[in-house]
Each structure stands twice: as structure tokens, then as C-alpha cells.
Amino acid sequence: EAQAIEAANKPKIEIPTGIRPLTLPDIGKRSREELLRICDSDKPRNIHISDVSRYIMNQTKFSGNVGSVDLIFPSGYDLGLTKRAPYQRFIEAGQNRGYSLIQDPTEVALELRIFDANQPLYDWYGLAMQQILVPGRYPQVLALVHLDDGFWVRTRWTSPVPLWYPGARLAFSVSK
């Protein structure tokens, strides 16, 4: 009965038109070290992980729970935002639509970086995750970026500034 009440109170997941969820299978099957080694040795795609991203990865849990993760990548516009807004507003708008924070951001970022070989040049998206305070910097989240010099796992500031443009995208976890 408690599960039925919890399910009834959970917001219905709203998938914006034209956005298809992506399933990453077998998250947690490989260790952090193995994933970093794969990324560091992928010379054809030129994968890079910034120093700040590595710091964040060492601050987040690595659960090792094997399973699949369903992700959705809405923009601020898809979330109903029409002007620049803080990161937390993006998160709230996503959660109001039934999306969740990514619980294992290091695993998801590394697996997604290995998986997403077709990310368009100059495209970026952040991960909807608990912000990490980096010493001497503002709180940040992991982001995946494709630049001239390769595919990156980088970071984006989340507060107190900057305000994110409504065209910015975040990867949220969704339950089917």
C-alpha cells in the first residue's frame, strides 16, 4: 500500500516531443580505473578528461551497481524555461516533469563519453547531478563536450553564476 501511495504522488514523466531517451546498458560493470584507462587510451577519438573533472570524479561515489540507466537530454526550452536561469531552476523544472538526478555521475559520464562518438562538434550538455564544490572554485557539475581537439569530460559552474541559457541541455535520469 505504501508503494502505491508513493507511485501516485510521483510526477508523471513528460517526454518532450522529438526527444528520445537513451539507455546505457551495464552501468557499473566496469571499475572507475578501467573506464579512465579506456578514455585515456582512446587515441582515435581523442578523449580528454579535465583535471577538475577528475577531481569531481574522485569526490563522487562509484557504486558499482550493475544495471541500465535511461537518460533524457532536454534543453531549458523543453523544460519550459524561456530566459537565462540558474542551474537549480533547470533541475527543479526537470524534477517537476518526473526526471531525476543522475545517482552515479562518474560512471554515467565515463560510459557516456565512451558511448557518444556521434556528439556534434561544439555540442555540450551537463549532467543533472548533485553539485560538487571544488576548492577555490564555484560548485560544478560534469559536462560532455565535443571540441576541435576531441571529446571531453569537463565541468560547468552551477552557482552563484552563471545563468544558463535556455538552449543549454542537461542529461537527466528517467524511469520507464
Side-chain angles (χ1 to χ4, degrees):
E1 187 176 304
Q3 288 177 335
I5 293 171
E6 183 179 322
N9 291 331
K10 192 173 187 180
K12 183 180 182 299
I13 295 176
E14 299 174 23
I15 306 292
T17 303
I19 294 184
R20 205 177 55 194
L22 168 73
T23 299
L24 284 178
D26 298 330
I27 292 291
K29 195 172 187 177
R30 299 187 267 203
S31 70
R32 179 189 322 248
E33 292 73 24
E34 183 179 1
L35 289 168
L36 287 168
R37 189 171 46 257
I38 291 168
C39 288
D40 289 340
S41 66
D42 191 335
K43 301 301 180 210
R45 289 193 301 144
N46 207 9
I47 293 178
H48 306 280
I49 302 170
S50 72
D51 290 341
V52 177
S53 294
R54 286 180 192 271
Y55 173 85
I56 287 176
M57 290 176 182
N58 287 326
Q59 302 307 309
T60 60
K61 71 177 183 152
F62 200 88
S63 72
N65 293 334
V66 177
S68 65
V69 173
D70 297 312
L71 302 171
I72 188 166
F73 303 82
S75 71
Y77 291 119
D78 297 322
L79 298 172
L81 304 174
T82 57
K83 55 186 173 184
R84 292 171 53 161
Y87 172 79
Q88 192 56 40
R89 181 67 192 106
F90 276 72
I91 296 299
E92 291 165 0
Q95 289 175 328
N96 288 341
R97 286 165 175 73
Y99 311 155
S100 302
L101 294 181
I102 294 171
Q103 296 304 307
D104 299 312
T106 295
E107 291 162 281
V108 169
L110 292 172
E111 290 284 4
L112 197 50
R113 181 69 293 156
I114 293 165
F115 176 82
D116 193 3
N118 296 317
Q119 184 179 16
L121 187 61
Y122 306 119
D123 180 58
W124 74 272
Y125 50 87
L127 297 188
M129 59 180 275
Q130 183 66 42
Q131 303 168 53
I132 303 293
L133 181 58
V134 177
R137 299 174 183 248
Y138 293 116
Q140 300 189 31
V141 295
L142 296 170
L144 279 75
V145 186
H146 182 187
L147 299 174
D148 290 328
D149 60 347
F151 294 89
W152 283 85
V153 177
R154 298 183 84 169
T155 60
R156 292 286 184 219
W157 288 4
T158 56
S159 64
V161 289
L163 297 177
W164 289 32
Y165 286 95
R169 293 182 302 136
L170 279 178
F172 285 90
S173 177
V174 293
S175 300
K176 290 183 179 178

